[in-house]
């Protein structure tokens, strides 16, 4: 078979354009911070507009006595406290001022306006500024149909329970909302939670003084129908008509928002009918007391500021509503994904359960020779353990180990060459990157079954046999092994251990059944040389050469399968900084591979639609928007009701724990490690989505990402792989006497080849 080679000059020319690309971005973190602030601002504005932030409750009883209070209590419902003493006014005889609080409401206010028009009546609407900003068209209709507007604060805050500055802000914001909606200001105000003037107390008096200084006329009521408590319709009508016995005028208070107002509409309809028969006029408040209209024209500046306020509030409302839908969709998708992948993993386990645990090659066939390629760059800490584990294999067929020292600055190549192990060759080359090192190893490999392993990874004795067995099927082009975290004692190691078992290996079981394996990991994978050649060789186009190669092999028509019994122990990053560098490269390389193979979506094979769609949704889009989840959680904890937030979080952790328990059970691991899973939500998850944000920014800006190396600690140098005691019996690979004899002969042959340092002569390859 013809080997695929790419001249060094061509590789150098291909790398030059990338060197002129901009460096990794940094300023985008400022943009992320700005986006987070804007999102927080939108949440707070929406919460404030809906009286969630700064919410106030009905005031306690506050009666008290003073000369001013006595004047207010004995006077009429319209009060002016801007002077040295309170002045009040009453409606004229046979004048009925209907007032409606807390609107406008998109459901009830239009129906009420229709009813008033039918009876040719006028009314006064004490509106909330937040509702005006949300529904400006209703405010315009109120004014256009001849009704009157009053200021009822922006969020229905108890003005007696908030600081003076907050009270002024509440009233001022409502005036700005009115300016934008209808081009007016109003001189009428009604204090939330107020009723008749006879119930005024010291706190309300202080508020009235503040409003008087701002130029407002404070409005109380003669008849409080208490329609918010939904009394019988006849009761509200009779209470309203009580002042008509002697022909007096009155101010009557209803509500056109805040709940079901069907009874209010029925009561108003009956009341207006009765008033017409009695010769009463239902009119605005100022007309009832004989004053000029309360409306004044708003300035152009106020209209602009009001328009900005209204736009910001409506945008925040739309944004928060969209966030709610997004979080619901993300939650449903996550749960469906977990359920689907657990079901597929169960089906995969059932399918493989009956397979003979002892068979590494089909019956009646000789074990094919295998070449193991170890690309190594500055792996002096662990290369010896890696090579020794490969030589100590139980595989009955010939095995050669090709270590490619990719220009290491340490003693990686020298250590591998000095071991004197049979069947091990060391190839040295100038540093050119892992894809080139793999290409070099493939070119010097003597056999057609190629196993690739990282220089920080060790194999168990049966691993090579398990990796090779699926390749007996001529349609299989690559096999993914089961990567285990060796250094799992610390918190970071435990988190990665859970991720490898639950996030990687459980997924690979599902991908195996779906025929859309995304990655054969560089730590452990077996390939058919023909499959690699049909994919164009190991490409240096991306930083995730393993994902790129896997996708190319799948697109070439080969099957890629998962063999969970082929275990490899790898040294995971031991610090958050090292973990960041590794995952940044992985994520950026995956984005490159997705973009490179985007054409697979339009191909007839299911790989592109299933694999690329899954990766784009669950490894790019949802993690990219994951900060929204945290912001909304904090919002719920500190602003809203924390119990739903805690309940949802606990539910998701419980589901993840159950999924993790099942995945660990399938892998023969102990479930006791799951105690760190809740803590994983507060550090590890945030690190992973920040990696996605950084990677996407780097990709979008076209920046050049360097190959981020991870410092090795030599986890396996002295003690070997820390294989835990399994929770269930693990299959072993016993060797027959014939197999041992064959292995001995193969070992003798390998000794004759000895260890070389450089370009060794290539043997003729035999096909499996």
């Amino acid at each position: 078979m013809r080997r695929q080679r790419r001249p060094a000059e061509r590789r150098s020319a291909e790398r030059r354009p990338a060197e002129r690309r901009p460096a990794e971005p940094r300023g985008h973190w400022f943009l992320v911070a700005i986006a987070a602030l804007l999102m927080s601002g939108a949440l707070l504005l929406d919460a404030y507009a809906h009286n969630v932030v700064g919410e106030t409750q009905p005031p306690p009883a506050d009666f008290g006595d003073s000369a001013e209070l006595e004047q207010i209590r004995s006077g009429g419902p319209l009060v002016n406290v801007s002077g040295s003493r309170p002045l009040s006014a009453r409606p004229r005889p046979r004048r009925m001022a209907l007032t409606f609080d807390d609107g406008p409401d998109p459901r009830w206010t239009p129906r009420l306006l229709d009813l008033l028009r039918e009876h040719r009546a006028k009314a006064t609407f004490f509106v909330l500024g937040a509702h005006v900003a949300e529904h400006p068209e209703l405010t315009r209709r109120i004014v256009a149909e001849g009704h009157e507007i009053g200021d009822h604060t922006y969020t229905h805050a108890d003005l007696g329970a908030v600081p003076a500055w907050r009270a002024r802000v509440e009233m001022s914001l409502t005036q700005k909302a009115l300016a934008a909606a209808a081009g007016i200001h109003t001189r009428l105000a009604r204090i939330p939670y107020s009723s008749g003037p006879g119930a005024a107390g010291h706190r309300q008096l202080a508020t009235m003084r503040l409003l008087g200084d701002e130029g407002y006329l404070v409005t109380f009521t003669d008849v409080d129908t208490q329609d918010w408590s939904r009394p019988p319709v006849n009761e509200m009508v009779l209470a309203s008509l009580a002042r008509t016995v002697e022909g007096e005028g009155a101010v009557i208070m209803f509500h056109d928002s805040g709940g079901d107002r069907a009874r209010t509409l029925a009561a108003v309809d009956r009341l207006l009918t009765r008033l017409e028969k009695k010769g009463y006029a239902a009119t605005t408040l100022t007309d009832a007391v004989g004053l000029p209209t309360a409306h004044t024209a708003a300035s152009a500046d106020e209209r602009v500021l009001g328009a900005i306020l209204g736009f910001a509030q409506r945008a925040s409302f739309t944004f928060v509503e969209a966030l709610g839908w997004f979080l619901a969709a993300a939650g449903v998708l996550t749960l469906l994904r977990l359920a689907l992948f657990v079901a597929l993993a169960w089906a995969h386990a059932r399918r493989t359960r009956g397979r003979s645990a002892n068979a590494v090659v089909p019956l009646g066939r000789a074990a094919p020779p295998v070449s193991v390629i170890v690309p190594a760059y500055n792996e002096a800490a662990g290369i010896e353990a890696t090579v020794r584990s490969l030589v100590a294999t139980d595989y009955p067929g010939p095995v050669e180990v090709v270590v490619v020292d990719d220009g290491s600055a340490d003693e990686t190549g020298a250590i591998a060459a000095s071991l004197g192990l049979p069947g091990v060759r060391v190839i040295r080359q100038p540093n050119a990157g892992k894809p080139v090192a793999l290409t070099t190893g493939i070119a010097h490999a003597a056999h057609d079954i190629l196993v690739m392993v990282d220089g920080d990874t060790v194999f168990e004795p049966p691993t090579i046999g398990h990796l090779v067995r699926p390749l007996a099927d001529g349609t299989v082009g690559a096999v993914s092994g089961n990567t285990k975290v060796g250094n799992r004692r610390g918190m970071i190691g435990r988190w990665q251990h859970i991720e490898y078992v639950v996030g990687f290996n459980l997924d690979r079981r599902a991908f195996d059944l779906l025929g859309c394996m995304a990655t054969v990991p560089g730590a452990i994978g077996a390939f058919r040389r023909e499959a690699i050649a049909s994919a164009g060789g190991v490409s240096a186009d991306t930083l995730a050469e393993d994902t790129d190669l896997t996708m190319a092999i799948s697109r070439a028509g080969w099957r890629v399968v998962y063999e969970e019994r082929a275990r490899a122990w790898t040294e995971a990053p031991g610090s958050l900084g090292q973990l960041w560098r590794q995952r940044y490269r992985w994520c950026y390389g995956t984005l490159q591979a997705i973009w490179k193979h985007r054409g697979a979506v339009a191909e007839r094979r299911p790989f592109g639609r299933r694999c690329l769609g899954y990766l784009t949704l669950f490894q790019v889009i949802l993690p990219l928007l994951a900060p929204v989840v945290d912001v909304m959680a904090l919002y719920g904890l500190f602003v809203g009701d924390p119990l739903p937030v805690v309940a949802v979080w606990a539910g998701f952790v419980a589901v993840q724990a159950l999924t993790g328990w099942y995945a660990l059970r399938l892998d023969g691991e102990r479930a006791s490690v799951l105690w760190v899973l809740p803590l994983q939500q507060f550090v590890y998850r945030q690190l992973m989505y920040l990696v996605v944000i950084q990677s996407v920014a780097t990709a979008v800006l076209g920046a050049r990402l360097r190959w981020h190396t991870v410092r090795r600690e030599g986890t396996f140098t002295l003690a070997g792989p820390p294989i835990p005691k399994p929770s269930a019996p693990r299959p072993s690979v016993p060797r027959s006497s014939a197999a041992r004899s064959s292995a001995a002969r193969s070992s003798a042959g390998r000794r004759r080849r000895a260890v070389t340092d450089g370009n060794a002569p290539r043997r003729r390859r035999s096909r499996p």
Side-chain angles (χ1 to χ4, degrees):
M1 181 180 297
R2 187 176 181 181
R3 297 184 178 91
Q4 302 291 324
R5 290 191 179 184
R6 301 173 70 182
E9 295 81 7
R10 181 180 172 188
R11 291 194 299 266
S12 177
E14 289 177 348
R15 287 196 300 270
R16 269 189 228 111
E19 295 173 359
R20 292 194 296 268
R21 296 163 70 184
E24 296 175 38
R26 288 291 180 266
H28 70 285
W29 289 118
F30 175 74
L31 298 178
V32 170
I34 294 297
L37 288 175
L38 290 175
M39 181 169 63
S40 301
L43 291 172
L44 291 175
L45 177 59
D46 182 77
Y48 175 73
H50 291 87
N51 205 15
V52 177
V53 175
E55 181 180 7
T56 58
Q57 300 298 327
D62 175 34
F63 198 70
D65 290 308
S66 70
E68 284 183 293
L69 284 174
E70 287 302 322
Q71 287 182 315
I72 293 172
R73 291 167 185 166
S74 61
L78 188 64
V79 184
N80 183 354
V81 294
S82 61
S84 58
R85 63 187 183 88
L87 300 175
S88 62
R90 298 179 184 276
R92 293 175 291 174
R94 296 189 177 277
R95 293 290 190 276
M96 198 66 69
L98 301 184
T99 63
F100 299 92
D101 290 5
D102 298 350
D105 182 274
R107 179 180 180 185
W108 300 108
T109 302
R111 296 172 64 179
L112 178 61
L113 291 173
D114 292 341
L115 182 62
L116 292 172
R117 182 170 55 189
E118 180 182 338
H119 288 276
R120 298 181 181 178
K122 304 299 178 184
T124 301
F125 291 80
F126 287 92
V127 297
L128 296 178
H131 291 178
V132 172
E134 207 165 300
H135 308 289
E137 72 286 351
L138 293 178
T139 305
R140 286 191 289 270
R141 180 182 172 185
I142 291 172
V143 174
E145 294 185 4
H147 304 290
E148 198 166 44
I149 297 286
D151 192 334
H152 198 42
T153 75
Y154 198 77
T155 64
H156 205 273
D158 175 18
L159 298 183
V162 299
W165 67 265
R166 165 81 184 273
R168 292 189 178 93
V169 167
E170 288 278 335
M171 306 302 291
S172 176
L173 290 178
T174 302
Q175 295 283 24
K176 289 179 173 57
L178 289 172
I184 64 166
H185 282 169
T186 180
R187 294 185 295 114
L188 294 178
R190 174 170 278 165
I191 302 172
Y193 309 110
S194 65
S195 182
H202 282 297
R203 294 174 66 212
Q204 284 191 341
L205 178 58
T207 302
M208 293 169 65
R209 287 172 178 163
L210 184 149
L211 296 178
D213 292 341
E214 297 292 324
Y216 288 99
L217 299 176
V218 180
T219 306
F220 290 98
T221 184
D222 292 314
V223 179
D224 183 359
T225 61
Q226 296 187 349
D227 59 336
W228 50 269
S229 63
R230 302 181 66 188
V233 173
N234 286 336
E235 184 177 315
M236 290 187 281
V237 173
L238 291 176
S240 302
L241 292 173
R243 300 294 296 265
T244 66
V245 176
E246 298 180 1
E248 295 179 289
V251 176
I252 304 175
M253 179 165 58
F254 291 97
H255 296 78
D256 63 331
S257 183
D260 188 347
R261 294 291 172 249
R263 293 189 181 186
T264 298
L265 290 176
V268 170
D269 188 18
R270 294 186 191 180
L271 176 61
L272 289 174
T273 301
R274 299 283 295 274
L275 290 176
E276 290 170 5
K277 292 180 180 180
K278 289 177 174 287
Y280 270 73
T283 185
T284 64
L285 179 61
T286 55
D287 182 69
V289 299
L291 292 177
T293 178
H295 295 169
T296 59
S299 65
D301 292 344
E302 290 291 303
R303 295 186 185 190
V304 171
L305 292 175
I308 295 173
L309 173 65
F311 173 79
Q313 182 180 316
R314 291 189 295 274
S316 67
F317 175 77
T318 302
F319 177 72
V320 172
E321 189 176 34
L323 283 186
W325 283 107
F326 163 74
L327 291 179
V332 170
L333 286 173
T334 301
L335 292 176
L336 289 177
R337 171 192 170 275
L338 288 174
L340 175 63
F341 275 47
V342 166
L344 292 174
W346 175 80
H348 183 272
R350 282 180 58 88
R351 190 185 71 175
T352 59
R353 189 176 300 155
R355 194 170 60 203
S356 173
N358 298 329
V360 295
V361 293
L363 294 176
R365 300 182 64 176
V370 175
S371 295
V372 183
I373 302 170
V374 187
Y377 174 74
N378 290 346
E379 300 285 0
I383 191 64
E384 179 178 350
T386 298
V387 175
R388 288 189 181 278
S389 74
L390 298 173
V391 173
T393 180
D394 287 344
Y395 185 67
V399 176
E400 69 164 352
V401 178
V402 180
V403 179
V404 182
D405 180 11
D406 186 34
S408 299
D410 58 13
E411 299 299 318
T412 298
I415 292 173
S418 66
L419 297 178
L421 296 174
V424 178
R425 289 186 289 149
V426 178
I427 311 298
R428 284 195 171 102
Q429 68 175 27
N431 180 252
K434 185 178 179 181
V436 178
L438 288 171
T439 300
T440 300
I442 293 172
H444 290 85
H447 307 304
D448 285 336
I449 300 298
L450 306 172
V451 173
M452 298 180 186
V453 55
D454 286 340
D456 62 341
T457 304
V458 297
F459 277 13
E460 295 179 9
T463 295
I464 294 179
H466 288 310
L467 272 179
V468 170
R469 187 182 186 280
L471 292 173
D473 183 344
T475 65
V476 175
V479 182
S480 170
N482 186 342
T483 310
K484 297 287 190 179
V485 174
N487 51 333
R488 60 175 70 171
R489 293 184 178 179
M491 185 67 69
I492 298 176
R494 289 187 176 96
W495 284 339
Q496 293 178 85
H497 167 46
I498 292 176
E499 183 185 28
Y500 271 62
V501 175
V502 181
F504 297 160
N505 292 337
L506 192 69
D507 286 3
R508 289 193 178 102
R509 294 175 186 272
F511 292 153
D512 190 352
L513 287 184
L514 295 175
C516 59
M517 190 75 66
T519 304
V520 174
I524 175 172
F527 299 85
R528 196 184 302 275
R529 183 189 292 271
E530 182 183 356
I532 296 178
S534 66
V538 182
S539 172
D541 294 338
T542 73
L543 291 182
E545 81 296 327
D546 47 4
T547 301
D548 187 4
L549 178 61
T550 305
M551 290 182 177
I553 289 175
S554 296
R555 294 184 68 185
W558 297 92
R559 288 178 56 216
V560 181
V561 301
Y562 174 60
E563 176 52 70
E564 70 272 15
R565 294 176 301 171
R567 288 183 290 268
W569 296 82
T570 189
E571 179 180 321
S575 68
L576 290 178
Q578 295 285 319
L579 181 63
W580 170 274
R581 283 188 282 273
Q582 182 196 68
R583 297 310 172 87
Y584 183 19
R585 177 177 62 82
W586 285 6
C587 184
Y588 183 81
T590 300
L591 290 175
Q592 290 177 309
I594 292 174
W595 182 253
K596 177 180 177 180
H597 295 282
R598 62 190 183 278
V601 175
E603 294 173 354
R604 301 186 64 179
R605 298 186 183 91
F607 165 78
R609 293 183 296 276
R610 295 175 183 174
C611 178
L612 298 187
Y614 173 85
L615 293 178
T616 302
L617 178 59
F618 288 101
Q619 294 194 21
V620 180
I621 295 177
L622 291 185
L624 196 62
L625 299 175
V628 175
V629 178
D630 290 344
V631 173
M632 291 292 286
L634 293 175
Y635 171 80
L637 284 175
F638 295 106
V639 175
D641 185 359
L643 290 180
V645 177
V646 174
V648 170
W649 177 82
F652 268 95
V653 171
V655 172
Q656 289 176 329
L658 289 174
T659 304
W661 170 82
Y662 183 65
L664 291 165
R665 182 173 179 270
L666 287 179
D667 261 27
E669 298 278 2
R670 294 179 177 177
S672 58
V673 72
L674 290 175
W675 71 269
V676 303
L677 186 61
L679 301 176
Q680 194 179 36
Q681 307 300 312
F682 299 108
V683 178
Y684 196 79
R685 192 177 67 84
Q686 285 76 11
L687 183 69
M688 293 300 103
Y689 70 58
L690 288 176
V691 164
V692 176
I693 292 173
Q694 173 80 0
S695 301
V696 171
T698 304
V700 170
L701 296 177
R704 174 176 55 86
L705 179 61
R706 297 179 294 106
W707 182 282
H708 291 164
T709 58
V710 178
R711 181 167 50 87
R712 305 302 183 191
E713 302 293 340
T715 299
F716 312 123
T717 300
L718 298 177
I723 304 174
K725 184 178 179 180
S727 58
R730 285 178 173 167
S732 60
V733 185
R735 303 180 68 188
S736 63
S737 58
R740 287 194 296 270
S741 176
S742 174
R745 290 193 299 270
S746 176
S747 176
R750 288 196 295 271
R751 290 193 191 96
R752 285 194 295 270
R753 290 197 301 273
V755 180
T756 63
D757 187 2
N759 294 331
R762 291 173 294 186
R763 296 176 51 193
R764 185 180 60 176
R765 298 183 305 277
S766 58
R767 299 185 62 82

